[in-house]
Amino acid sequence: MSPNERLEPFFNPKGIAIVGARSTPGFGMWLPSKLKEKGFGDHLYLVNPKGGKMYDMPVYKKVSEVPNPVELAIVIVPSHAVPGIIVDIGERGIRYVIIMSAGFAEAGPDGKALQDEIQTAKVKYGLRIIGPNCIGLVNNENGFTTAETIDEATFPGNLGIIAQSGVFGNVLLDGLYQKGLYVSKAVTLGNRIDVNESDVLNYLHKDPTTDLIMMYLEGASDGRLLTRTLKNVTRDKPVLVLKSGRTDEGKAATCSHTGSMSGEDHLYESMLAQTGATRADSLEELIQFARAFATQPLPRGNRLGILTSSGSMGTLATDAAIQSGLKIPLLSENTIHKVKDGAPEWMNVKNPLDVGPSDQYLKGFTALMKDPEIDMVISIIASPFLFLREYMKTGSSAHRWFGDLSTIYKQAGKPLLICVVSNSEFVDYFAKDVGNKIPVFNSPEMAAKAMAALWQYKYRRDKRRTEA
Amino acid sequence: MSPNERLEPFFNPKGIAIVGARSTPGFGMWLPSKLKEKGFGDHLYLVNPKGGKMYDMPVYKKVSEVPNPVELAIVIVPSHAVPGIIVDIGERGIRYVIIMSAGFAEAGPDGKALQDEIQTAKVKYGLRIIGPNCIGLVNNENGFTTAETIDEATFPGNLGIIAQSGVFGNVLLDGLYQKGLYVSKAVTLGNRIDVNESDVLNYLHKDPTTDLIMMYLEGASDGRLLTRTLKNVTRDKPVLVLKSGRTDEGKAATCSHTGSMSGEDHLYESMLAQTGATRADSLEELIQFARAFATQPLPRGNRLGILTSSGSMGTLATDAAIQSGLKIPLLSENTIHKVKDGAPEWMNVKNPLDVGPSDQYLKGFTALMKDPEIDMVISIIASPFLFLREYMKTGSSAHRWFGDLSTIYKQAGKPLLICVVSNSEFVDYFAKDVGNKIPVFNSPEMAAKAMAALWQYKYRRDKRRTEA
């Protein structure tokens, strides 16, 4: 059995027991109805010492009473009751367990003692455990979920998520679809008594529905293993990492959050660079980088063309691009010639290409997208809203700017990021018009950094492929 | 006459001539109707060689024909015609000129020659000139504007803006009100043939409606003067600076944008630090910092208390705060005691204070706001949207979390920034409920950096006040 086959029952369980099922408000309350809705009702069993009925389903008083088939147990009882329940689960012959309850190593010595008891039972019964102190996982491929997210978050996509923190994973899922990001699988790890980030990285590596992986880490459970795993995974798929616990105070916070030892930040920094993983410096970067990776092809080189209707926005993008390792090459004679055709006298045909309030935007866009000496394009739209509002009334803003965008874009086969700085009404309108295929950023600097992240990943990956 | 009195006619002109008035689409088209709407129609005169009527107003063929009173001329004719017009203006006895036309030093040698001609006329007639290559200014105190912004942008506030680029100023104005920022005066400088950033800084320094100043700079027109001016202004008002042209490529871009010499970035970096100005690293930082400065009192010290419903978000804020020079002190016995009262066993009562899904949020908030050993508070809300949506149905989310927020907040007299990480539906709902008095951030790191900027400004200002 491959390591991935060994994790498969977490993502696609044949029979589920919810231990500590509740109908009162709180975590886990929505779980039975959600799983029934998603088609997992046939072999769904609720356990609660009170017995009776819940959600029109019988409630079993003990784990031992749950009928077959049952492959996975979801545990949401209070922490002090968990060790006993784990023994019940082991005795019942269930091998896969997600412990969502909190109050273990992260909560101090008493919690640590409880966690040790679970560890003993795990070894004794040969269990695989996710958690404790997490919200389990989401598999948007088949609809299985232990996370209480909104339905909009369950639309299947190509982004895999690994989050140490349950709440982190949950709030990410709640909002990512609004940024055009859709999830394949998401796993929250909590205190990682067993399943760790490397296990899930390996799983997502082989998962055909996952194209890129986003990871929030407070500390590696096994640094060497993580290094090896990342090196392996990033040969095929980008891995974006947000690592917290950079400062002593941050480290102390992670310790009381998921019981993690964060380690020295500079070691992580060089480890991540070495492995070809992409480090995000903030939550915002993690999300914005993912939008670029999820939708754009990798660039052939690092030569960026910037098109803008505002010189200052072009300059801000230029500074950020150069500081992130990209090049802003001079434009070729051919491209200059094409853009100058029909351009007003005041226009400087350079890179960044500031077309100002002229009608040359589409011409500039086409020329940069087709120029073989430009590997990637950032297209900035920043014009007075009073004018843009008039264009909005014509019904199609993206077409006004880009013409037959999709054809030019597809033929070019190079990454394109759009940046719109304006009233949010226009940003939303434009983003909707462009669709999710090309991300619309609000920050020229972030667009440049995201483009640089694409290039950096591609460069490191190819270098390591050549060396191997 | 004080320097400020000398600029006053730009902001409050007695009689206005629009030279190059147009009714065809393009820049300047909305200007006559906008000025009439704002009550400046009585002494508004349109000039265009075609004569006739526009906007129900007579059009004068020459500047010399414009009747009195007329104190300010707004020039929007093509660049090649500007030098002649400036002579006409000088001869007519008008002393204040805003040149919005582009195509001067930023466009190459021919444009530079035109700009030199204007310079000669300026000296000969003793003119004061804003521009060329700008959109002039906005005075939300009296409604006078030469910028074609939407009406929502003209609601008067306490933020002064100095932007070298016209488009930059315009798109900023178009969106700032959506972030709770309202403008007192905004000036775009363009190529700065005469009026420069130091002149406007001095004006805004003495302007009673301006509490803080935001500046976008591509290069100082006079570095020593700017240093002296900033030192002076920041004694009383914070000045936030976004300086572009950090890299050679960025410098080249500013040169062809506003004809600026950007200078070495490290010199700007140390100059700005020396003067007590606050440097923003990106457009996003500029805006987010301004939200904190525009609404919050300055902190007494740098001891930050972080309250959160998600451990990971608390950790991210902690790292960013420490890296920006703040302290995350241990909580006092008294505060720990207050928060522990009624708290579940699993809760770690520490700083950052992660109350998780417990009911202790309000208790924690009150304790941190009242703790004399905490100088500033960041309050993070990150909870599953499925739960928050239920709270939204109850009608009042902020009250659910904070109770009588305004009373506690006002009594505490310390800065508070709120950070909500969630589905945008909840973020918007919550922000609306809180109002504009306390900014709601989406990024824990940005909230921490903004808080650090408040502290840094306060610290440097007090240090310089003591030294003086």
Side-chain angles (χ1 to χ4, degrees):
Chain A
M1 194 156 69
S2 78
N4 265 29
E5 283 166 347
R6 287 199 290 265
L7 287 189
E8 194 56 35
F10 280 121
F11 293 90
N12 196 12
K14 290 172 193 72
I16 304 158
I18 301 178
V19 187
R22 69 199 293 174
S23 54
T24 52
F27 277 109
M29 169 189 159
W30 273 283
L31 215 43
S33 49
K34 207 167 249 300
L35 285 171
K36 276 167 81 173
E37 228 176 71
K38 297 285 182 182
F40 294 85
D42 281 356
H43 304 292
L44 178 66
Y45 311 106
L46 309 186
V47 181
N48 188 308
K50 287 175 192 156
K53 278 208 157 203
M54 254 183 229
Y55 308 95
D56 281 329
M57 295 171 73
V59 176
Y60 301 90
K61 292 189 177 179
K62 294 177 182 174
V63 176
S64 59
E65 294 170 5
V66 172
N68 271 328
V70 56
E71 209 172 18
L72 173 72
I74 302 168
V75 177
I76 47 180
V77 302
S79 56
H80 63 85
V82 172
I85 290 291
I86 298 299
V87 170
D88 290 353
I89 287 168
E91 290 290 334
R92 172 63 186 74
I94 304 170
R95 288 288 166 265
Y96 292 85
V97 189
I98 295 174
I99 307 174
M100 292 168 65
S101 327
F104 295 93
E106 85 283 5
D110 293 353
K112 179 68 173 59
L114 292 172
Q115 190 164 317
D116 290 344
E117 283 186 61
I118 300 172
Q119 186 66 47
T120 307
K122 174 192 111 65
V123 174
K124 180 173 174 192
Y125 297 104
L127 307 178
R128 293 309 312 258
I129 297 177
I130 291 178
N133 187 23
C134 72
I135 59 158
L137 60 87
V138 171
N139 178 0
N140 284 338
E141 201 185 350
N142 64 3
F144 176 67
T145 179
T146 65
E148 295 169 301
T149 60
I150 55 174
D151 282 340
E152 295 92 321
T154 61
F155 189 83
N158 64 347
L159 171 65
I161 297 179
I162 304 172
Q164 216 171 317
S165 151
V167 179
F168 186 94
N170 207 322
V171 299
L172 219 57
L173 288 166
D174 283 338
L176 286 180
Y177 75 92
Q178 298 181 309
K179 290 159 179 122
L181 285 169
Y182 297 93
V183 172
S184 53
K185 272 108 184 163
V187 183
T188 69
L189 294 168
N191 296 7
R192 297 176 299 190
I193 204 168
D194 173 26
V195 174
N196 63 29
E197 62 281 1
S198 294
D199 296 324
V200 184
L201 275 171
N202 283 326
Y203 183 86
L204 295 175
H205 185 193
K206 300 299 175 197
D207 175 41
T209 67
T210 298
D211 291 335
L212 77 152
I213 299 162
M214 180 192 259
M215 180 155 75
Y216 171 68
L217 202 63
E218 303 201 327
S221 76
D222 179 337
R224 285 181 187 207
L225 177 64
L226 178 60
T227 306
R228 257 197 334 268
T229 308
L230 280 174
K231 276 186 180 168
N232 197 29
V233 178
T234 57
R235 276 172 197 276
D236 302 305
K237 295 180 182 180
V239 182
L240 313 181
V241 181
L242 178 62
K243 165 75 179 69
S244 70
R246 295 181 159 214
T247 60
D248 288 344
E249 291 79 354
K251 283 190 192 87
T254 65
C255 184
S256 60
H257 178 222
T258 50
S260 294
M261 302 308 290
S262 300
E264 290 305 315
D265 193 65
H266 65 98
L267 297 179
Y268 274 97
E269 188 75 27
S270 64
M271 181 272 267
L272 291 171
Q274 220 188 86
T275 60
T278 302
R279 184 169 192 174
D281 273 339
S282 64
L283 176 57
E284 185 65 14
E285 265 195 21
L286 183 74
I287 294 169
Q288 299 301 337
F289 284 8
R291 296 176 73 211
F293 277 99
T295 58
Q296 297 306 299
L298 296 174
R300 285 179 299 260
N302 68 344
R303 297 167 301 177
L304 172 65
I306 299 175
L307 175 67
T308 182
S309 59
S310 149
S312 42
M313 299 300 162
T315 305
L316 293 170
T318 298
D319 279 340
I322 294 290
Q323 288 178 324
S324 310
L326 298 182
K327 284 188 180 138
I328 313 280
L330 297 176
L331 296 180
S332 67
E333 282 304 318
N334 184 27
T335 292
I336 292 175
H337 182 75
K338 280 185 196 163
V339 180
K340 273 210 168 147
D341 181 39
E345 267 184 47
W346 51 256
M347 194 193 297
N348 286 303
V349 180
K350 291 184 173 176
N351 187 14
L353 178 54
D354 176 10
V355 299
S358 78
D359 282 329
Q360 301 299 97
Y361 204 96
L362 177 56
K363 220 169 246 181
F365 178 75
T366 310
L368 289 181
M369 286 304 282
K370 290 190 172 176
D371 188 336
E373 292 169 38
I374 295 288
D375 302 312
M376 42 173 92
V377 175
I378 291 178
S379 182
I380 302 171
I381 296 163
S383 300
F385 184 50
L386 205 62
F387 294 81
L388 295 175
R389 195 146 59 177
E390 293 301 307
Y391 293 128
M392 283 172 70
K393 288 179 190 158
T394 69
S396 178
S397 62
H399 283 219
R400 160 67 183 74
W401 289 94
F402 293 120
D404 189 0
L405 175 90
S406 56
T407 311
I408 301 169
Y409 172 61
K410 273 180 201 159
Q411 282 172 354
K414 57 178 84 165
L416 166 67
L417 298 177
I418 294 172
C419 174
V420 182
V421 186
S422 182
N423 186 283
S424 69
E425 211 180 302
F426 182 73
V427 178
D428 293 346
Y429 177 85
F430 194 88
K432 203 175 161 192
D433 196 22
V434 169
N436 284 328
K437 294 277 165 65
I438 306 160
V440 174
F441 286 72
N442 303 321
S443 150
E445 296 95 339
M446 189 62 91
K449 285 184 195 175
M451 203 57 111
L454 289 180
W455 158 247
Q456 194 194 55
Y457 168 68
K458 163 74 156 48
Y459 176 79
R460 287 180 179 165
R461 186 197 67 178
D462 290 357
K463 196 158 162 256
R464 284 172 43 241
R465 279 183 178 172
T466 319
E467 285 166 1
Chain B
M1 195 155 67
S2 78
N4 267 27
E5 283 165 349
R6 289 199 290 266
L7 287 190
E8 194 56 35
F10 280 120
F11 293 91
N12 196 12
K14 290 173 192 71
I16 304 159
I18 301 179
V19 188
R22 71 197 294 173
S23 54
T24 52
F27 276 110
M29 169 188 157
W30 273 281
L31 214 46
S33 49
K34 206 167 248 302
L35 285 171
K36 275 166 80 173
E37 227 178 73
K38 297 287 184 181
F40 293 87
D42 282 355
H43 305 292
L44 177 66
Y45 312 107
L46 309 186
V47 180
N48 189 308
K50 288 174 192 156
K53 277 211 157 199
M54 251 184 229
Y55 308 94
D56 283 329
M57 296 171 74
V59 176
Y60 300 91
K61 290 188 178 179
K62 295 177 181 173
V63 176
S64 59
E65 294 170 6
V66 171
N68 271 327
V70 57
E71 207 172 20
L72 173 71
I74 302 168
V75 178
I76 48 181
V77 301
S79 57
H80 63 84
V82 173
I85 290 292
I86 298 299
V87 170
D88 291 354
I89 287 168
E91 290 290 333
R92 171 64 186 75
I94 304 170
R95 288 287 164 268
Y96 293 85
V97 189
I98 295 174
I99 308 174
M100 292 167 65
S101 326
F104 296 93
E106 85 283 6
D110 293 354
K112 179 69 173 63
L114 292 171
Q115 190 164 318
D116 289 344
E117 283 186 62
I118 300 173
Q119 186 66 48
T120 308
K122 175 193 112 66
V123 174
K124 179 172 174 192
Y125 296 104
L127 307 177
R128 294 307 313 258
I129 297 177
I130 290 178
N133 188 21
C134 73
I135 59 159
L137 61 86
V138 171
N139 178 359
N140 284 339
E141 201 183 350
N142 64 2
F144 176 67
T145 179
T146 65
E148 295 169 303
T149 59
I150 54 173
D151 282 340
E152 295 90 322
T154 60
F155 190 84
N158 64 347
L159 171 64
I161 298 180
I162 304 172
Q164 217 171 317
S165 152
V167 179
F168 186 94
N170 207 322
V171 299
L172 219 57
L173 288 166
D174 283 339
L176 285 180
Y177 76 92
Q178 297 181 310
K179 291 160 178 120
L181 285 169
Y182 296 93
V183 172
S184 54
K185 272 109 183 163
V187 183
T188 69
L189 294 167
N191 297 7
R192 297 175 300 190
I193 204 167
D194 174 27
V195 174
N196 62 29
E197 62 281 2
S198 294
D199 295 324
V200 184
L201 274 170
N202 284 326
Y203 183 86
L204 295 176
H205 185 192
K206 300 298 176 197
D207 176 41
T209 67
T210 299
D211 290 336
L212 78 152
I213 299 163
M214 178 193 263
M215 179 154 76
Y216 171 68
L217 202 63
E218 303 201 327
S221 73
D222 178 337
R224 285 183 188 205
L225 176 64
L226 179 60
T227 307
R228 257 197 332 268
T229 308
L230 280 174
K231 275 186 179 168
N232 197 29
V233 178
T234 58
R235 274 172 197 278
D236 302 306
K237 294 179 182 181
V239 181
L240 313 182
V241 181
L242 178 62
K243 165 76 179 66
S244 69
R246 295 182 159 213
T247 60
D248 289 343
E249 290 80 354
K251 282 189 190 88
T254 65
C255 185
S256 60
H257 179 222
T258 50
S260 294
M261 303 307 290
S262 299
E264 291 304 317
D265 193 64
H266 66 99
L267 296 179
Y268 273 98
E269 187 74 27
S270 64
M271 181 272 266
L272 291 171
Q274 221 188 85
T275 61
T278 302
R279 185 169 193 174
D281 274 337
S282 64
L283 176 57
E284 185 65 16
E285 265 195 25
L286 183 74
I287 294 168
Q288 300 301 337
F289 284 9
R291 296 175 74 210
F293 277 99
T295 57
Q296 297 306 299
L298 295 174
R300 284 180 300 258
N302 67 345
R303 298 166 300 178
L304 171 66
I306 299 174
L307 176 65
T308 182
S309 59
S310 149
S312 42
M313 300 299 162
T315 305
L316 293 170
T318 298
D319 279 340
I322 294 291
Q323 289 179 321
S324 310
L326 298 182
K327 285 189 179 138
I328 312 279
L330 297 177
L331 295 180
S332 66
E333 282 303 318
N334 185 26
T335 293
I336 292 173
H337 181 75
K338 280 185 195 163
V339 179
K340 275 211 167 148
D341 181 39
E345 266 184 48
W346 51 258
M347 194 194 297
N348 285 304
V349 181
K350 290 185 174 177
N351 187 17
L353 179 54
D354 175 10
V355 299
S358 78
D359 283 329
Q360 300 299 94
Y361 204 95
L362 177 55
K363 219 170 245 179
F365 178 75
T366 311
L368 289 181
M369 286 303 281
K370 291 190 172 175
D371 187 336
E373 292 169 37
I374 294 289
D375 302 311
M376 42 172 92
V377 175
I378 292 177
S379 182
I380 302 170
I381 296 163
S383 300
F385 184 50
L386 205 62
F387 294 82
L388 295 175
R389 195 146 61 176
E390 294 301 308
Y391 292 129
M392 283 170 71
K393 289 178 190 158
T394 68
S396 179
S397 62
H399 283 218
R400 160 66 182 75
W401 289 94
F402 294 119
D404 190 2
L405 175 89
S406 57
T407 311
I408 301 169
Y409 172 61
K410 274 181 200 157
Q411 283 173 352
K414 58 177 84 165
L416 166 66
L417 298 177
I418 295 172
C419 176
V420 182
V421 186
S422 183
N423 187 285
S424 69
E425 211 182 301
F426 182 74
V427 178
D428 293 346
Y429 177 86
F430 194 87
K432 203 174 160 192
D433 196 22
V434 169
N436 283 327
K437 295 277 165 67
I438 306 160
V440 173
F441 287 71
N442 303 319
S443 150
E445 295 96 338
M446 188 62 92
K449 284 184 195 176
M451 202 59 111
L454 289 180
W455 159 246
Q456 193 195 54
Y457 168 69
K458 164 71 156 49
Y459 175 79
R460 287 179 177 165
R461 186 196 68 178
D462 290 357
K463 196 159 162 255
R464 284 172 44 241
R465 278 182 177 172
T466 319
E467 284 164 4

